[in-house]
Amino acid sequence: MNIDSLNTSRFLRNDFKPRLARCELIAVTPTSISSDLEFRNWILKQPEGETLLRCYQCGRCTSACPIAEIDHSFNPRLFLEKVILADESLAENQLIWTCLTCEQCEVRCPEHVKIPQILILAKVRGLVSGNTPETALDRARSILSQGRTIQVSEPMLKTRDKMGLPSLGNPPVKQLAKALKELGLAEKLENIKSIYGGDGDE
Amino acid sequence: MSKAIEYTYFPGCMIPFRLPHFELTMREVLSRLNIELVADEGHSCCPEPTTFTGVDFEAWLTVGARNIAVSESTGRDTMALCSGCFHTLAMVGHTLQSDSKTRERINKRLKRIGMEATGEVTVKNILHVLHEDVGLDKIRKSIVQPLKDISIAAHYGCHLVRPIEATHMDDAEDPMWMEDLIEVTGAKPVDYPDKMACCGAPISPSDEPKSFVLAADKLRKIRDAGADAIVLVCPTCYTQMEMQQKKAIEHLGPEFSLPVLYLGEMMALAMGMSDLVVNNARRYHRVKLQPLLEKMGVGK
């Protein structure tokens, strides 16, 4: 029999929420599951977040992942399971920052679940608890203050000049700040302490 | 010669200030092909897609959309040399076009600064421009110093290629445009296992040892396939596979080294502009290029 003709994906998609949740609850550690659906609902509302609902836990993502290959504790299928079960502990797990965003999982996913995007959203939720590498915070601060990820120095400008490359001016940082104001990112970045260590300054 | 074809050049941060030999060689290569890159001072950091997304995804979309709006105001196609910049602009543009709710939300923020982004601007990477817009036939005519007897492996990197619905590349698992360009220069493209494997750089801020394991594994597979050199497009991949090559390889020992060329360097060599490469080799290459250049017959 041709497996494809069964159209298993549609069957699971229509029916899976209560069923999968019940059977998977037995398979995971119950103490780690929050009863609060807020995290899951937030993910579903974000761009591409609703692709989560297409996941039927086949595990192709994990078998495609180059990080899972060298570190068995990194398991994209399990990460998706946690989000499906509204387990927000994922946002505080440092492992999510070892996702390469290489999208190999997404390429191989039979349901085109936006897995790297869902992990990105989990990272965003982890910011308040400091689950953000210091380098990521530094780059973000630099983008807000300079409009670039790096500090442009005099020698860099001189080198461009010597090579005959045109001046690129300075990015309009005031405009950036105005567009981003309602997000409150600048204030957040002032108060966040990364759990990854480092002194917080470049 | 007819009037040059212009693209809006999206410079980003890494290439213009850390690796300006990328910009230098590619500008000269494109100039030979009658293409001019025009920068717009309104552009900022793209923002970079590997860490800023995970700090504040909405801010990433907003800053990216502002850059798209600047691009749209130029009336030209935009080309980003950097794969990270290209990825961000292509992704944000795709999101603006395909997700009307997000487009409206982001444009409310842009309205405060008197801007609007539709996502309709065409964002290209250098392979779109060289392979699709210029075409292999025209490039072939500009090759004056074919890179005979040289085997080169293409490293695409992830963000140049994926996701395919936003990048509009030829294939997500086995792209071939760079191999075509290698062939046009007279060199022999080398296939190797796991061609689309990541260089490891994106996780360097959180787990440097793991990022080096991936880089070393990749370098070893390329060396075992018999390549004399690697050619690539992305400045982050370059930093990882060239500047950090020695450190990465030490993780898996035994040691070896493999020259890495930026695509613009490879093309400049084949177009007879070897000075551009030779003069900047010591400053921007840690792996010695001399043996490779000698094999190519450059600098004799």
Side-chain angles (χ1 to χ4, degrees):
Chain A
M1 185 168 57
N2 182 357
I3 296 278
D4 288 340
S5 69
L6 287 174
N7 201 351
T8 46
S9 62
R10 180 165 303 165
F11 168 70
L12 280 167
R13 200 189 308 164
N14 289 341
D15 203 29
F16 94 121
K17 268 191 271 177
R19 278 173 163 230
L20 189 65
R22 233 186 340 253
C23 70
E24 292 287 338
L25 273 169
I26 301 162
V28 298
T29 319
T31 50
S32 67
I33 297 165
S34 94
S35 57
D36 179 2
L37 289 170
E38 201 264 328
F39 173 52
R40 180 188 144 118
N41 289 340
W42 179 80
I43 297 256
L44 294 180
K45 273 191 291 183
Q46 303 303 311
E48 309 280 13
E50 80 286 0
T51 63
L52 172 73
L53 298 178
R54 301 204 292 251
C55 174
Y56 48 71
Q57 293 281 292
C58 71
R60 270 185 97 173
C61 46
T62 302
S63 59
C65 174
I67 294 296
E69 200 177 323
I70 59 172
D71 175 4
H72 294 311
S73 62
F74 189 93
N75 187 331
R77 182 200 63 77
L78 201 63
F79 297 158
L80 289 173
E81 182 191 85
K82 281 181 186 291
V83 185
I84 290 166
L85 296 176
D87 178 358
E88 189 156 9
S89 70
L90 183 64
E92 289 169 24
N93 190 335
Q94 294 194 33
L95 276 176
I96 57 176
W97 277 97
T98 58
C99 168
L100 294 158
T101 67
C102 73
E103 303 192 15
Q104 188 64 39
C105 53
E106 189 181 313
V107 169
R108 299 274 169 88
C109 173
E111 283 294 302
H112 310 292
V113 176
K114 295 283 179 184
I115 306 161
Q117 169 66 6
I118 289 165
L119 288 185
I120 281 170
L121 294 170
K123 290 173 189 170
V124 171
R125 289 286 286 212
L127 179 69
V128 284
S129 58
N131 185 18
T132 318
E134 200 56 57
T135 309
L137 295 175
D138 285 342
R139 284 182 193 161
R141 290 182 187 118
S142 177
I143 289 168
L144 296 192
S145 63
Q146 324 272 329
R148 303 197 196 281
T149 49
I150 56 171
Q151 189 95 34
V152 175
S153 67
E154 248 343 279
M156 289 176 184
L157 295 172
K158 264 194 196 137
T159 302
R160 283 189 66 79
D161 204 39
K162 255 194 218 159
M163 286 181 167
L165 297 171
S167 158
L168 298 172
N170 294 310
V173 284
K174 276 186 189 152
Q175 219 184 47
L176 280 183
K178 205 171 165 191
L180 294 176
K181 195 167 186 287
E182 67 169 22
L183 296 172
L185 177 60
E187 294 78 16
K188 271 186 237 166
L189 288 172
E190 264 173 38
N191 301 319
I192 296 298
K193 190 110 186 77
S194 170
I195 56 171
Y196 291 73
D199 55 13
D201 293 306
E202 278 181 77
Chain B
M1 200 182 241
S2 57
K3 194 177 178 300
I5 296 161
E6 291 183 348
Y7 289 83
T8 294
Y9 167 51
F10 188 88
C13 310
M14 287 273 283
I15 289 181
F17 301 112
R18 287 248 162 91
L19 302 169
H21 68 304
F22 276 41
E23 186 178 332
L24 175 70
T25 51
M26 198 52 92
R27 271 185 187 274
E28 294 298 325
V29 165
L30 290 172
S31 166
R32 292 269 171 112
L33 300 167
N34 202 27
I35 287 175
E36 197 186 331
L37 302 181
V38 185
D40 188 304
E41 295 194 0
H43 281 136
S44 70
C45 170
C46 54
E48 59 84 23
T50 61
T51 62
F52 193 67
T53 43
V55 173
D56 191 329
F57 189 73
E58 277 294 305
W60 178 76
L61 279 175
T62 309
V63 179
R66 203 200 66 87
N67 282 323
I68 293 274
V70 172
S71 273
E72 286 175 350
S73 74
T74 68
R76 291 179 289 255
D77 287 358
T78 286
M79 196 266 287
L81 287 183
C82 168
S83 300
C85 299
F86 166 70
H87 180 87
T88 289
L89 297 179
M91 279 297 290
V92 173
H94 177 75
T95 305
L96 291 171
Q97 265 193 318
S98 60
D99 179 347
S100 57
K101 255 170 60 188
T102 300
R103 184 176 61 239
E104 279 165 30
R105 189 175 70 244
I106 301 298
N107 273 319
K108 258 188 211 158
R109 283 181 211 132
L110 294 189
K111 205 175 168 193
R112 288 189 199 127
I113 53 173
M115 294 175 102
E116 190 191 354
T118 63
E120 276 160 26
V121 67
T122 304
V123 176
K124 292 179 173 173
N125 63 40
I126 188 62
L127 297 184
H128 293 117
V129 172
L130 290 174
H131 194 281
E132 300 297 282
D133 295 359
V134 178
L136 299 175
D137 287 342
K138 187 169 177 189
I139 297 172
R140 195 173 283 118
K141 283 180 197 147
S142 66
I143 303 299
V144 295
Q145 176 132 24
L147 311 179
K148 276 184 248 158
D149 307 318
I150 301 290
S151 299
I152 301 180
H155 167 71
Y156 285 81
C158 314
H159 296 87
L160 185 77
V161 179
R162 297 164 177 173
I164 206 94
E165 71 267 20
T167 64
H168 303 290
M169 285 288 292
D170 55 334
D171 196 278
E173 297 244 51
D174 192 16
M176 288 304 289
W177 286 351
M178 208 149 27
E179 277 84 350
D180 290 345
L181 290 171
I182 293 169
E183 207 155 30
V184 163
T185 65
K188 182 173 160 269
V190 180
D191 194 18
Y192 60 95
D194 301 324
K195 183 171 95 178
M196 275 309 293
C198 177
C199 71
I203 59 165
S204 157
S206 54
D207 196 334
E208 192 178 72
K210 258 190 217 116
S211 90
F212 284 155
V213 168
L214 295 183
D217 183 56
K218 172 125 210 175
L219 288 160
R220 191 166 305 273
K221 281 171 180 157
I222 294 173
R223 187 204 53 168
D224 290 351
D228 296 307
I230 299 169
V231 68
L232 48 68
V233 166
C234 174
T236 305
C237 298
Y238 183 86
T239 305
Q240 178 83 345
M241 293 172 69
E242 209 291 340
M243 316 294 261
Q244 302 275 54
Q245 183 179 115
K246 195 167 185 288
K247 260 171 113 177
I249 286 174
E250 277 169 3
H251 265 259
L252 292 185
E255 282 190 43
F256 64 92
S257 71
L258 200 54
V260 180
L261 293 173
Y262 168 58
L263 181 68
E265 292 184 299
M266 178 186 80
M267 309 241 341
L269 286 165
M271 289 180 170
M273 298 185 281
S274 55
D275 279 3
L276 288 181
V277 179
V278 174
N279 294 345
N280 292 300
R282 275 187 60 190
R283 182 156 185 190
Y284 298 107
H285 287 262
R286 290 188 184 164
V287 179
K288 281 201 178 83
L289 283 189
Q290 202 49 37
L292 178 73
L293 295 173
E294 276 168 21
K295 202 173 171 185
M296 287 174 176
V298 171
K300 270 180 192 165

